[in-house]
Amino acid sequence: MAALDGKRAIVTGASSGIGAATARALEEAGARVYTGSRSAGNLDVTDPESSARFVEAAVAELGGLDILVNNAGLSRGRDPVWESLEEDEREVIETNVLGLMRMTRLCVPHLVEDGGGHIVNLGSVAGIWSYPSGSSYVASKFAVHGYTRALRDDLQGKPVRVTNVAGGLVETNFSKVRFKGDEEKAKAVYSNVALGGPLVAEDIADCILFALTRRPNVNIDEIVVMALAQVSGGNILRES
Ligand code: NAP
């Protein structure tokens, strides 16, 4: 029997990167997975109606819910605070913070109703250490870390586990989205990382799977995972 046989999971933002790798890993472990994203045309976490419709459709299709992976997220721009754009700040906070809170609020009643479950939030090392010219993303991930702790407080006494997975540099579409399609700038973020390079999406999916497959009374609160060459948010060793 596979570790997640019979489990029903939602993974948000599964059209690329960490979300896609996580959906694959959960399926390989036996779970039935319902995925959503804007490019799939079925979920915009910044839109309350789209989010509510998505959760309703997922729960109907899966026949209940055991796992929510709050992965949808992005960054926009790489500028000092005083040059940061209003629309970029709004998009980052609306997606990473309000979108994650909304999806959690919509899913918790189903997890509780179905006898318990597990919520995994994608935090970041940017939610632990700030780094220059990333203020809105840093603020959003500090908020995710705080919200995840608050969720643990509110769920105490209920059989719902909560995990924050805080990754460092992971090579995905993240930087292309942050630099608004500029491939050169995006590529530079992941180039010349020493000691074997950056993480890949599957490294984060492995951590998520580890947290999900512990004994039911074991709650992995936080996993912080970085490439060997990265020792804190902005400190990454590169080969010259
Ligand atoms: P990615 O490859 O760009 O994937 C982001 C996913 O989020 C895509 O599927 C995207 O799909 C979805 N998304 C964005 N806005 C959305 C919205 N409004 N509604 C629904 N889905 C939305 O980036 P990634 O690196 O895999 O990032 C996934 C998560 O990991 C994010 O929360 C990110 O902050 C976090 N993280 C990333 C890293 C890193 O270095 N890459 C490190 C730590 C944490 P659509 O655009 O089709 O909607």
Side-chain angles (χ1 to χ4, degrees), residues 22-195:
T22 301
R24 280 196 301 275
L26 267 56
E27 273 168 1
E28 280 163 20
R32 285 167 57 226
V33 184
Y34 197 92
T35 60
S37 64
R38 291 166 305 172
S39 52
N42 65 346
L43 174 65
D44 180 352
V45 297
T46 69
D47 177 346
E49 282 174 21
S50 166
S51 303
R53 267 199 312 274
F54 173 81
V55 172
E56 202 184 327
V59 170
E61 169 81 17
L62 297 170
L65 190 63
D66 304 295
I67 295 165
L68 166 65
V69 181
N70 271 319
N71 166 78
L74 47 69
S75 184
R76 289 289 199 193
R78 191 74 213 268
D79 307 294
V81 162
W82 52 92
E83 284 169 23
S84 171
L85 301 177
E86 172 90 24
E87 63 264 31
D88 289 348
E89 293 170 358
R90 182 175 297 114
E91 188 179 6
V92 170
I93 299 297
E94 284 186 350
T95 306
N96 298 3
V97 184
L98 297 178
L100 179 142
M101 291 168 68
R102 177 175 299 119
M103 286 300 299
T104 304
R105 172 164 30 81
L106 289 166
C107 289
V108 162
H110 297 288
L111 297 171
V112 172
E113 248 171 52
D114 289 349
H118 201 144
I119 299 168
V120 179
N121 289 339
L122 270 293
S124 167
V125 296
I128 301 171
W129 299 280
S130 67
Y131 59 85
S133 300
S135 56
S136 54
Y137 186 66
V138 164
S140 77
K141 291 299 181 181
F142 267 76
V144 168
H145 286 223
Y147 181 77
T148 309
R149 294 244 60 96
L151 191 55
R152 276 279 273 152
D153 281 326
D154 285 0
L155 285 169
Q156 188 176 28
K158 296 188 170 57
V160 180
R161 299 188 289 175
V162 180
T163 300
N164 178 20
V165 177
L169 191 66
V170 187
E171 188 162 5
T172 64
N173 279 340
F174 180 86
S175 292
K176 196 173 155 199
V177 171
R178 168 172 248 174
F179 292 116
K180 302 173 182 175
D182 188 325
E183 303 260 9
E184 283 304 300
K185 280 189 183 168
K187 224 169 130 191
V189 173
Y190 307 111
S191 67
N192 302 330
V193 175
L195 298 165

